[in-house]
Amino acid sequence: MRTFLLALLIAAFPAAAQQQELSAKAWLEHMSEGLKQQQFKVSLIHLQADHIRPLVYLHGKVDEKEVAFLEHLNGPPKNAVRVGNTVTFLEHDQPAYSVLASRIQGVWPAAFSDEISKLERGYEFVLGGRSRIAGRPGQMIRIIPKDSTRYSHQVWVDMESFLPLRYDLITDEKQLVEQIMAVELIVLQAPPALLQEAAEQEWPAVINTAERADGQNWKFSWLPEGFEVMVRDHHRLIGSQEAVEYVALTDGLVNVSVYVARASETPLPEELITRSGLSLVTENRGNAEIVVMGKLPPETLKRIADSLRLDSQP
Amino acid sequence: MDKLGQEWVSAAVDGEVEGQAMADLAADKGSHDKWRNYHMIGDAMRGELPDTINLDLSARIAQAIDDEPAIVAPNIQVTAKAEVDKPRGNVVPLFKQFGQYAIAASVALVAVIGVQNYQQQGPEQEPMSVLSTRPLVGTASPVSLQTGPVQQVQSGNSNEQVYEQRRRLNTYIQDHMLQQRLNSGVALDNSADIMPEHQH
């Protein structure tokens, strides 16, 4: 055993020496590459206020295509399968449906496996300390917003495989909003049988998002640095069938939804914070109601709501 | 079994009989019932009886031992059969079960179960609302609107209005969650979204 450890130490030493040269951004880029290229199985817990959700995530490559599988381990079956750029949601209470997506939502933030340089518009990367997570040595990298309008992020990257081991979303007051932590990470040489099966399976056709009706030309006089409009459309809310104008904003890490609807007889609260870190701000302007929602401090959402304008010249 | 014999069994229960005598007793099947009954009486007197008494225990154990070869053989068959079935039953049903449905797009991750408005003391401070949510393992059904205590601080709000407010909040939150899924494949629209003339 001792000789084994010694051998391990020697084997790990050149790698460790090499890693000391890496910048915070380089670590994140290696992580992004690792999430796309490596084959692995990771067991995770997702912590949100008083909820803990255990998950398993599998990732592999079958015929040069990325295939991934996410399973919620507690409660009724709730899974998601990704083959190439299609993600299919398999849930117990509704028929399966597929969407066009390059990532399964609900594990690591989608930005982690995307171009890291996209995040640089809104965030700075700073190297932190090292700690052991899921039995592996991890290097911490802080992703700090350039302005104080957002929560900050921390990620621990496995020093051997560069895969993420832990992710924290924290407020300015250092309060934890959300955490995802690996409890076991296994790097695989070949795609697991389940993923090969998934790659061969016929999945429902992708919902055609191109059919979404174009929205009005909404503009913002102010947005936090790095935020951009991702989608504009108008649709009806599921459940209430209420017609809304919709704008989706993102800075790569955080997604914000902006809704404009006819003011209702029962006004919504001006400001709400859910325990999952999601905040909601409502503003009434004339006979319109503006609802802004996302994992941002409510003050920022309020500023976004205030800055919404309708540009008459398209 | 004579009276002497009964005393003898009783003595054996209390551990007062020699080994050879025990062997004799074991050979005498008629004494087994008594052995058991004396034990039970002893247990009852000491208050050590279990909640449920299986009166037929010794007989069942004997039966089981007799039947043993007969039980083992079918067991082997069962496991062999399960082995054969396993590769087929492993993965496919999981996907088959879900994979053949048409498209749907409803999602519900969070349901609002209560809005609590905490009125601050100072008039200059905005009332801060805290929304209790719980992740739902199903759709956000109207059930969630009826459960959970509602702290009503705002005056003039009827219960109906509170329910309606919560229902509306739910629909917005659900839609936001659904958009996360629908939009994750969308490329960024790089047109200028910030109007410089209104820059603060």
Side-chain angles (χ1 to χ4, degrees), chain B:
Chain B
M1 207 45 161
D2 53 11
K3 188 136 172 67
L4 184 71
Q6 284 189 26
E7 280 171 11
W8 192 58
V9 172
S10 177
V13 168
D14 296 336
E16 291 165 10
V17 181
E18 296 295 310
Q20 178 55 42
M22 282 295 281
D24 290 347
L25 180 65
D28 178 3
K29 290 203 168 179
S31 304
H32 289 181
D33 282 349
K34 286 210 171 56
W35 173 276
R36 195 187 63 211
N37 289 343
Y38 283 134
H39 264 296
M40 198 178 291
I41 291 163
D43 283 350
M45 290 197 308
R46 291 190 293 272
E48 289 172 3
L49 277 185
D51 290 341
T52 55
I53 304 164
N54 193 340
L55 289 169
D56 230 6
L57 200 63
S58 60
R60 276 191 22 204
I61 291 168
Q63 174 89 27
I65 292 165
D66 284 346
D67 289 349
E68 206 160 33
I71 294 169
V72 171
N75 264 353
I76 289 167
Q77 277 183 350
V78 165
T79 41
K81 194 163 176 285
E83 293 275 315
V84 172
D85 282 348
K86 213 181 167 190
R88 207 153 45 86
N90 198 9
V91 173
V92 180
L94 174 70
F95 291 133
K96 279 274 160 64
Q97 190 184 348
F98 298 102
Q100 293 162 344
Y101 289 97
I103 302 163
S106 68
V107 66
L109 297 179
V110 184
V112 180
I113 56 170
V115 179
Q116 299 171 344
N117 293 306
Y118 298 107
Q119 204 80 49
Q120 304 287 329
Q121 291 303 313
E124 73 280 359
Q125 276 183 303
E126 293 267 307
M128 173 66 106
S129 300
V130 175
L131 178 67
S132 304
T133 59
R134 73 179 167 178
L136 265 203
V137 279
T139 41
S141 62
V143 173
S144 62
L145 304 178
Q146 286 147 21
T147 54
V150 184
Q151 282 191 11
Q152 240 180 285
V153 185
Q154 287 174 335
S155 56
N157 264 15
S158 73
N159 257 358
E160 244 169 67
Q161 273 177 310
V162 173
Y163 289 146
E164 175 63 12
Q165 192 182 55
R166 257 190 271 167
R167 192 191 59 76
R168 294 194 60 219
L169 281 172
N170 259 333
T171 59
Y172 274 116
I173 291 172
Q174 275 181 53
D175 195 83
H176 173 76
M177 296 296 190
L178 176 64
Q179 295 297 336
Q180 306 306 298
R181 292 183 170 183
L182 294 179
N183 297 343
S184 53
V186 177
L188 270 186
D189 169 3
N190 279 320
S191 60
D193 302 305
I194 300 176
M195 296 193 295
E197 65 266 36
H198 288 291
Q199 204 74 270
H200 286 207

Side-chain angles (χ1 to χ4, degrees), chain A residues 190-254:
Chain A
L194 187 82
L195 295 186
Q196 278 173 348
E197 192 81 39
E200 288 159 18
Q201 186 76 24
E202 286 262 338
W203 298 108
V206 171
I207 296 171
N208 194 352
T209 43
E211 284 171 9
R212 296 167 73 162
D214 264 357
Q216 301 272 359
N217 198 14
W218 296 103
K219 295 278 177 184
F220 296 88
S221 57
W222 174 88
L223 283 177
E225 216 174 311
F227 265 94
E228 287 174 358
V229 171
M230 186 162 52
V231 171
R232 281 191 196 88
D233 76 354
H234 60 85
H235 63 263
R236 286 180 188 276
L237 297 180
I238 290 163
S240 70
Q241 293 299 311
E242 201 174 331
V244 290
E245 284 281 328
Y246 176 74
V247 184
L249 304 170
T250 187
D251 68 347
L253 270 173
V254 180

Side-chain angles (χ1 to χ4, degrees), chain A residues 49-92:
Chain A
D50 46 359
H51 300 295
I52 299 176
R53 263 164 253 145
L55 310 160
V56 165
Y57 180 70
L58 294 165
H59 181 269
K61 290 205 133 188
V62 181
D63 304 332
E64 292 301 302
K65 259 191 305 190
E66 278 186 70
V67 183
F69 180 71
L70 174 70
E71 181 175 12
H72 289 249
L73 295 177
N74 283 5
K78 206 174 131 190
N79 306 325
V81 181
R82 173 189 166 212
V83 180
N85 281 327
T86 309
V87 174
T88 307
F89 294 96
L90 309 164
E91 282 159 17
H92 70 107

Side-chain angles (χ1 to χ4, degrees), chain A residues 126-142:
Chain A
V126 178
L127 269 183
R130 287 174 181 179
S131 57
R132 192 163 158 273
I133 297 156
R136 287 161 171 271
Q139 167 70 53
M140 192 250 265
I141 294 114
R142 287 178 218 276

Side-chain angles (χ1 to χ4, degrees), chain A residues 91-109:
Chain A
E91 282 159 17
H92 70 107
D93 57 343
Q94 60 196 349
Y97 63 96
S98 303
V99 299
L100 203 63
S102 57
R103 207 55 42 193
I104 297 177
Q105 286 278 332
V107 215
W108 313 108

Side-chain angles (χ1 to χ4, degrees), chain A residues 96-172:
Chain A
Y97 63 96
S98 303
V99 299
L100 203 63
S102 57
R103 207 55 42 193
I104 297 177
Q105 286 278 332
V107 215
W108 313 108
F112 281 7
S113 42
D114 208 345
E115 288 274 331
I116 294 299
S117 53
K118 280 188 192 170
L119 294 179
E120 277 183 312
R121 282 187 58 188
Y123 295 92
E124 270 165 28
F125 314 129
V126 178
L127 269 183
R130 287 174 181 179
S131 57
R132 192 163 158 273
I133 297 156
R136 287 161 171 271
Q139 167 70 53
M140 192 250 265
I141 294 114
R142 287 178 218 276
I143 304 172
I144 303 167
K146 286 183 176 167
D147 48 17
S148 57
T149 59
R150 273 164 280 191
Y151 300 136
S152 48
H153 309 255
Q154 294 177 346
V155 61
W156 280 259
V157 177
D158 179 23
M159 293 176 66
E160 281 161 38
S161 65
F162 293 107
L163 292 168
L165 293 172
R166 177 177 156 188
Y167 162 74
D168 288 0
L169 179 65
I170 45 177
T171 65
D172 283 349

